[in-house]
Amino acid sequence: MTIWQVLGIPPTGDEAEIRRAYAQQLKTHRPDKDPGGYQQLREAFDAAKQQAGSGATPVHLDIPHPSSSPAVEVALPEAKTFYTAEEMQALAHKLVNTEMVGIVAMNGLWIKIASQGSLLQQQQFHQHLAAALSEEQGLTEGLLDRVSGLLGWGIEEYDYSNIIPGPIQYAIQQRLRETEINRAWLQMATEEAHGSLLSKTAIRLLKSDYQQVPFWVRLTPGLPQALLNQAQRFTSYYPEIAERLNPVMLEFLRLKRLVLSWQGIFLLVFWGMAFNSLSRQPDIHHAASITAIVIVIFYLYLSDVLMMGLSGRPRWLSGFFFLDFLLSLAVIQLFFGGIFFAAVVSIPPSGHGPMALVSLLAILVLGIVFWAAWPKDVPFIRKPGITMSRIFSSPWKLLEWMSFSWFSAIWTLLYFTLCVAVLSELLKLFK
């Protein structure tokens, strides 16, 4: 197995992601229950951290399978300590909550033990402090790294179990993970109080105790997407947070449903205004306009509705895909073929002049649009339908590409004019 397979993540140079994966895998490979698996996990963790720290491109390194022989835990004999259990826990509390005060107190105690205590007492101090830290809520990796550096624990090394036993290491990792989860939860609370209106509403819904999704969630443009973004943002890094979120909302996000979106509203207005402009032109046949409107509505709205409605009936869905394939091939031929024919007809007999140049540019742009809209990684039977859906959704994609900036309104207006002109020339062919 490679180190990335052991950690359960793809190759990455992100050390934070590596630590999260390590903490997640520790739940399965506990040092007291699966010492061999823990050893393998620790080797993978250290190798991954070394790659991330060097800045090199992540590579696959093989990790040998863990030995089947169980690890032997050696218990230290008890020796008289320079502190009580309560004092050690109080020191850990100071370190976590008032770091500098705690470090001063820790250094003073360690100097005393190092100068007056035996090796056994020094070993016990390291283990007792690590165990006390593992019980403190709010323990962070930064504090642990500083304590390790001052006391020489070497937590960045492959194996430091000679100083801190495996079970205590496991408890520390669990506490660090708990701190990260609680920080993420506090971040959600901060965004709930100070974020945008959509973010606030989405987080409140995720943390609510609703027994069913309110009807207005589907009717609020942008809210379902905001819900999905917030849920994915936190649960992708911290899957444990899903246990604190409303399961009804998570199930709602898991399934594809019909919702009102700003994209749907914008495209309805855009194409509605376009066909309204075309309806005023006397040389465009009324039936051709109606047919074009039905085609646009089908690819923007009806196609998704039918696929969702037939998702539970595989045979019906396969039949729909076949009919959609045939229809889309015909529409592509009429759409691109018609525009290509109109461009060619516009070229003057001499083949020269501004009109010839415009026509040739139109043919070139037509080819680029078709290449850009044609999907690459989907079954062939779906490619024609997705191509037309992308073409009719292109006004919204233009806005997204420009990040909805103020100048995107100017380009959208120009694109609207271009669409009206192209549709006008296309529909005139069907008089």
Side-chain angles (χ1 to χ4, degrees):
M1 297 179 67
T2 67
I3 59 174
W4 308 109
Q5 290 172 332
V6 174
L7 292 170
I9 56 174
T12 178
D14 186 350
E15 190 166 341
E17 184 177 352
I18 293 171
R19 288 182 179 274
R20 283 191 292 267
Y22 173 67
Q24 185 70 17
Q25 292 296 329
L26 265 178
K27 295 181 178 180
T28 305
H29 306 292
R30 294 180 53 170
D32 55 339
K33 299 290 182 65
D34 182 15
Y38 171 75
Q39 177 183 351
Q40 186 186 41
L41 175 63
R42 186 71 203 186
E43 290 178 3
F45 174 59
D46 290 328
K49 277 206 311 178
Q50 185 177 5
Q51 284 193 31
S54 66
T57 302
V59 298
H60 291 277
L61 295 178
D62 288 332
I63 296 292
H65 287 283
S67 172
S68 58
S69 58
V72 178
E73 292 286 345
V74 179
L76 291 174
E78 289 296 326
K80 183 180 178 181
T81 60
F82 288 76
Y83 47 83
T84 64
E86 292 76 14
E87 290 172 341
M88 179 56 71
Q89 199 62 54
L91 174 59
H93 185 77
K94 284 182 182 178
L95 284 167
V96 172
N97 295 281
T98 53
E99 183 177 327
M100 293 310 299
V101 175
I103 286 178
V104 171
M106 181 192 72
N107 283 336
L109 180 58
W110 172 238
I111 292 172
K112 181 179 179 181
I113 296 173
S115 61
Q116 302 177 21
S118 65
L119 290 177
L120 178 59
Q121 289 171 324
Q122 294 174 24
Q123 182 78 349
Q124 284 182 333
F125 168 77
H126 293 307
Q127 296 186 11
H128 292 162
L129 178 58
L133 286 172
S134 72
E135 297 179 8
E136 285 295 321
Q137 292 186 354
L139 177 65
T140 64
E141 288 187 5
L143 171 63
L144 187 62
D145 288 340
R146 283 185 283 278
V147 171
S148 170
L150 291 169
L151 298 179
W153 288 357
I155 62 173
E156 71 282 354
E157 302 296 332
Y158 155 62
D159 186 7
Y160 62 103
S161 57
N162 60 317
I163 301 176
I164 309 298
I168 298 179
Q169 293 181 35
Y170 173 78
I172 287 175
Q173 290 297 331
Q174 291 300 102
R175 184 62 69 185
L176 291 173
R177 182 64 178 176
E178 179 186 288
T179 299
E180 290 183 349
I181 294 168
N182 289 335
R183 281 184 172 180
W185 190 254
L186 287 175
Q187 185 180 352
M188 287 187 71
T190 301
E191 293 189 18
E192 182 182 1
H194 305 290
S196 64
L197 180 60
L198 272 180
S199 295
K200 289 180 181 179
T201 306
I203 292 174
R204 287 169 185 166
L205 285 168
L206 288 171
K207 296 168 66 175
S208 70
D209 56 357
Y210 283 120
Q211 299 301 311
Q212 59 182 10
V213 179
F215 73 94
W216 49 267
V217 172
R218 294 181 176 87
L219 301 178
T220 305
L223 182 55
Q225 187 61 45
L227 269 170
L228 181 62
N229 292 342
Q230 291 290 351
Q232 288 181 340
R233 177 185 170 193
F234 288 101
T235 58
S236 60
Y237 288 108
Y238 310 104
E240 299 91 339
I241 283 186
E243 300 174 359
R244 307 185 187 184
L245 303 179
N246 189 327
V248 175
M249 293 297 170
L250 295 180
E251 179 65 17
F252 170 75
L253 296 175
R254 189 179 66 83
L255 301 175
K256 191 173 182 180
R257 301 175 186 274
L258 287 176
V259 294
L260 195 61
S261 66
W262 288 118
Q263 176 180 345
I265 294 173
F266 172 80
L267 291 174
L268 184 64
V269 172
F270 182 94
W271 291 112
M273 293 176 63
F275 282 107
N276 182 59
S277 300
L278 293 172
S279 65
R280 301 173 184 175
Q281 299 183 21
D283 50 352
I284 294 179
H285 198 278
H286 184 67
S289 295
I290 296 297
T291 303
I293 291 172
V294 171
I295 290 174
V296 171
I297 292 176
F298 172 78
Y299 285 110
L300 290 180
Y301 307 104
L302 294 182
S303 178
D304 288 340
V305 172
L306 290 171
M307 281 191 291
M308 282 188 285
L310 298 174
S311 59
R313 300 180 177 182
R315 291 185 179 179
W316 286 72
L317 186 60
S318 299
F320 168 76
F321 284 154
F322 179 70
L323 293 176
D324 175 75
F325 175 74
L326 296 179
L327 172 65
S328 300
L329 285 179
V331 171
I332 286 176
Q333 184 177 2
L334 291 173
F335 184 82
F336 288 97
I339 297 175
F340 179 80
F341 177 77
V344 171
V345 170
S346 301
I347 299 176
S350 63
H352 302 288
M355 197 62 196
L357 180 61
V358 170
S359 298
L360 291 174
L361 285 176
I363 294 172
L364 176 63
V365 171
L366 186 66
I368 295 173
V369 168
F370 182 80
W371 176 84
W374 186 259
K376 308 301 186 293
D377 300 322
V378 296
F380 185 78
I381 197 172
R382 293 288 299 126
K383 290 187 176 185
I386 294 175
T387 298
M388 295 311 303
S389 295
R390 288 180 175 180
I391 288 173
F392 293 131
S393 300
S394 58
W396 178 260
K397 297 302 179 183
L398 177 66
L399 287 175
E400 285 186 331
W401 182 63
M402 295 186 174
S403 302
F404 302 96
S405 55
W406 63 269
F407 58 83
S408 63
I410 299 174
W411 284 101
T412 302
L413 182 61
L414 293 174
Y415 191 67
F416 173 83
T417 305
L418 176 64
C419 289
V420 171
V422 169
L423 285 174
S424 175
E425 293 300 319
L426 182 62
L427 294 178
K428 286 177 182 178
L429 299 174
F430 300 95
K431 292 188 291 183

